Amino acid sequence: MTLFTKAFCITTLFTGFAWANEELKVGSSIIPHAEILRFIKPTLEKQGYDLKVYEFNDGVIPNVMVENGELDANYFQHEPYLKEFNQRKGTHIVKAASIHIEPMAVYSKKHKDFNPKEGAKISLPNNPTNESRALRIVASAGLIEVKDNELITAVDITKNPRKIEFVELKDAQLPRSLDDVDYALINSNHAILAGLNPVKDGLYTESKYSQYGNIIAVKEGNEELPKIKALIKALQSEEVREFIQEKYQGALVPTF
């Protein structure tokens, strides 16, 4: 046995494997974020990183786990939500990069265009950032006027000439509400799960230049870590751009 072989065996004994890839732990929503992360797993593997994707169906746990170091990053939220979360929870999480936007759109089972009659019912998200986003979309269509606050709810509507009734629901309940309301404002991740696409089915869609791009978020101070840089580079690649465009057919739009 050569000296090199002996050294390799000793290293293997104490480390398990001499050249094991470094773990990169990322929390995400199930669709579409986890699907995109799984797409780049082979790319990161070649660069020496073992991407572990942890899927969640809520917007709290992935941030808490980044804050306490259980996750290296997460990929499920937009920056306005993150800012509000930090203020509310006292966390120290920051945007590392923007990857895609999930356009919020207006859907209906009862109408062919977004032209609500007087007294129409419109359902929208009940969380602070997405409710603000939805109301601004309605305002951009010229149907209401709202206060110029960072976060707004229905009480911040200053003009509502058609007396539209706004129904606040959890995001996941919005597709099911289409049977009971005239219109629903639904973010694309929940629309996709319900078989809806903003390009094909949306009656009115927010601009792709919206501030609500979905981001890679990390604990403050970790933005420059090599594994975070590698994650961002893999996600902001032409291969991922093509994957998003082909797979989601406009339900997601790359922001890079």
Side-chain angles (χ1 to χ4, degrees):
M1 183 181 290
T2 67
L3 290 175
F4 174 81
T5 305
K6 288 179 180 178
F8 176 81
C9 291
I10 292 170
T11 303
T12 303
L13 177 64
F14 285 98
T15 65
F17 185 71
W19 294 294
N21 283 356
E22 181 180 358
E23 278 195 348
L24 173 54
K25 297 177 286 186
V26 182
S28 76
S29 62
I30 299 168
I31 293 177
H33 306 78
E35 295 176 330
I36 298 171
L37 288 169
R38 284 194 292 269
F39 177 76
I40 65 167
K41 184 176 174 67
T43 299
L44 289 168
E45 207 165 76
K46 292 175 184 176
Q47 298 175 26
Y49 298 102
D50 181 13
L51 178 61
K52 302 287 188 183
V53 181
Y54 299 85
E55 299 180 4
F56 300 91
N57 60 4
D58 75 86
V60 176
I61 296 174
N63 276 338
V64 172
M65 292 181 72
V66 165
E67 176 72 12
N68 64 25
E70 293 178 82
L71 293 173
D72 297 303
N74 64 45
Y75 176 34
F76 75 94
Q77 64 194 321
H78 48 62
E79 195 170 14
Y81 175 83
L82 175 59
K83 288 180 177 178
E84 190 272 334
F85 187 94
N86 279 333
Q87 290 170 0
R88 182 162 42 91
K89 297 291 187 179
T91 45
H92 309 84
I93 307 169
V94 296
K95 168 187 172 182
S98 178
I99 308 302
H100 74 268
I101 187 170
E102 300 168 3
M104 184 177 283
V106 177
Y107 299 89
S108 179
K109 286 187 176 181
K110 302 176 182 178
H111 308 284
K112 299 297 184 184
D113 57 13
F114 189 38
N115 186 24
K117 296 179 180 178
E118 186 169 332
K121 288 186 178 181
I122 299 179
S123 60
L124 41 70
N126 67 353
N127 67 75
T129 51
N130 278 333
E131 181 168 6
S132 302
R133 180 182 183 183
L135 287 170
R136 289 194 174 94
I137 292 171
V138 178
S140 73
L143 298 171
I144 60 172
E145 292 183 15
V146 296
K147 293 180 181 177
D148 188 26
N149 299 338
E150 184 174 353
L151 295 176
I152 55 174
T153 67
V155 300
D156 296 305
I157 297 172
T158 56
K159 290 186 179 179
N160 185 4
R162 303 192 191 191
K163 298 181 175 59
I164 296 169
E165 179 183 345
F166 291 96
V167 182
E168 299 171 338
L169 298 171
K170 292 183 178 180
D171 294 68
Q173 296 175 338
L174 291 166
R176 295 194 295 272
S177 75
L178 286 169
D179 291 324
D180 304 311
V181 298
D182 292 285
Y183 303 94
L185 283 112
I186 308 173
N187 203 14
S188 281
N189 59 328
H190 293 287
I192 291 169
L193 288 169
L196 298 170
N197 181 295
V199 174
K200 298 175 182 177
D201 306 305
L203 303 180
Y204 188 84
T205 308
E206 73 179 323
S207 167
K208 68 178 181 179
Y209 302 109
S210 163
Q211 63 179 313
Y212 296 96
N214 280 217
I215 62 173
I216 293 295
V218 301
K219 181 75 175 285
E220 187 176 7
N222 292 343
E223 302 95 310
E224 300 298 321
L225 290 177
K227 60 183 172 181
I228 299 302
K229 290 291 189 182
L231 173 65
I232 293 168
K233 184 177 179 181
L235 284 169
Q236 291 184 334
S237 65
E238 285 304 309
E239 291 79 10
V240 168
R241 184 191 302 276
E242 292 171 6
F243 174 78
I244 288 174
Q245 291 171 341
E246 182 177 339
K247 182 172 180 64
Y248 301 107
Q249 298 293 306
L252 274 64
V253 179
T255 57
F256 53 89

